[in-house]
Amino acid sequence: MFFSWFELHFKSIFPSEGSNLQPILVGRATAEANARRRMNLLYRLLTPSLHDPRKPSLKLNIPKTVLRIVLICESLGLTVSAGDSAKGDPPSSSREMKPPPRAKKRRFAPIKIANQIPMRRRKEIEKALGEVGESPTKWSRNGGTKNHVFMRKRIKPGTIRHMEFDLLDVEIGESWPVPISVIHGSRPGPVVTLLGAIHGDELVGPLALTYLCGPNFMGPDRVIDAGVLAGTIRIVPIVNLPGYRRMIRDFPDGRDLNRCFPGKPDSNTTSRVAHKLWSKLISTSDYVVDLHSAAKGRTNIPQIRANLAHASSNRIARSFGIETILDSEGPRGSLRRVANQEDIACITYEGGGSDEADPESVQISMYGIINLLRSLRMLPGYPSKPRFRILASGSVWIRSDQGGLLDVLAPAGSFVEEGEIVATITDPELPGAQHDVVSPIRGLLISSATHPFVNSGSPIGHLLPVKRGVTTLKRRLDDEGCLIISGSDGEPPWREDEEIEDIAVFGEWSGGSPDAEWGPAGSTDEEEDN
Ligand SMILES: [Zn+2]
């Protein structure tokens, strides 16, 4: 007798009934028989009893051609497909056995979307995406690669040029030249412009773009290799150089460059700069990524802001590979709003705060840019994708109702429940008095205050209401309840090679070479030198 009792699952697959799983206790095979043989013997044993009214546990009334037996016993772990079992012919030898066909694996699991965008807006986005083609048609791969002409200079395919771009056209006085790197690929493709420090005190962008132009990322056999690049990348690490030098957000005339686009050639200073940037740099781009940080006294978790109803902006917003995407047109006069109006794809990345160099925000933005370039097929390799995305079209500011000094309990990135205490306020003039600041709703804190001084009305947190996808989101929280953002793992990549300290050891190789000691015993090398 080959069988005693063992446990099986019957899984019958009917197009009409769907999956019908019924566990039945049937038998246990002897240890000697191989798994496949056991399955076939078992099948033969079971088949006559399928319609036997005397054996109620096996009265399944299942056509045997669609019967599938799945062993749940781990040691057997073998699936018999309906086809080969139904024939009732056990294979003549184990050599003829074919392994079950492997399930087609997706390269990426589908990304879950915690979509907080209202249905009306979602329909607008879907409609807009339906109307516009998938990719821009300004460039073509027909006709090979041409020189890239920028600022009256011809840049040959497969080369990198570092040059200066004057923000102002003057004959005498300060022209504010800003450094720009143009990487013109050896293959045709789109023009991508990467901008940092439109606000002079936001340093995450300048750091990320400087590292991207550094030896760990750019050059032969590096991620950005002009020899294999398709298209052109223009990198301006610091747009607002006068503001950067003064460590201030705005231009020296007190205006915010990111509210002055597209600018005018005969208006105020900042407007003239905006016009120059617009006409020479932005209007000739296919894709623009503008890197920012939170304003003074706050910090942002890495996030993308984009008008998702603009098709190509929607595409690059997703391709950046991070979880949080805020759907908005952008303020009036902002670069991305004006660019989208002219049908140029433009997204804003926000990460960290002004006057700080948050390494995580820098790293995530660098990986995001590479993801974007890979997704546009400008660079070889596959972009990495987040486990899920939160698409949001609205937010809530948590504001203080009291004045004093702040102790933030839930930092940016925290997932907070309604009524949870996110911060406390104390007053040095009234020791012992304390006021709790509670979250008005459940959601993700995408920004929080870093400056402790608050008045009534001061913003303390910027909260994304999360109603859908809460379970998915909670799976990606760390021990402290903060969202783990894609691209934040691992050591900062720009430190590679730099951190390894060389320790010089002086002397001579005993045996004449480093490998001599490991030669065969009694080898001449050893004898010569020792
Ligand atoms: Zn900014």
Side-chain angles (χ1 to χ4, degrees), residues 198-199 201-202 249 256 258 290-295 348 350:
I198 276 190
H199 294 135
D201 58 352
E202 297 174 5
R249 172 187 174 94
D256 183 340
N258 208 25
D290 188 13
L291 303 174
H292 286 257
S293 301
T348 299
E350 286 275 354

Side-chain angles (χ1 to χ4, degrees), residues 307 329-342 346:
N307 178 357
E329 288 186 350
R332 276 180 207 284
S334 67
L335 177 62
R336 71 183 168 93
R337 182 174 177 137
V338 177
N340 286 174
Q341 282 163 358
E342 298 299 318
C346 184

Side-chain angles (χ1 to χ4, degrees), residues 42-93:
L42 177 68
Y43 185 79
R44 279 196 291 170
L45 189 81
L46 286 173
T47 311
S49 64
L50 285 175
H51 305 283
D52 190 338
R54 289 168 300 174
K55 295 184 179 173
S57 64
L58 299 176
K59 207 175 109 185
L60 296 172
N61 197 22
I62 300 167
K64 57 182 180 180
T65 50
V66 292
L67 178 70
R68 177 172 286 191
I69 304 167
V70 182
L71 274 167
I72 58 164
C73 194
E74 265 189 16
S75 62
L76 300 178
L78 182 73
T79 304
V80 173
S81 74
D84 55 46
S85 301
K87 285 170 195 159
D89 302 318
S92 54
S93 81

Side-chain angles (χ1 to χ4, degrees), residues 508-517 524-526 528-530:
E508 285 179 358
W509 298 117
S510 67
S513 84
D515 304 317
E517 295 285 321
T524 50
D525 279 347
E526 268 183 20
E528 275 172 17
D529 285 77
N530 290 339

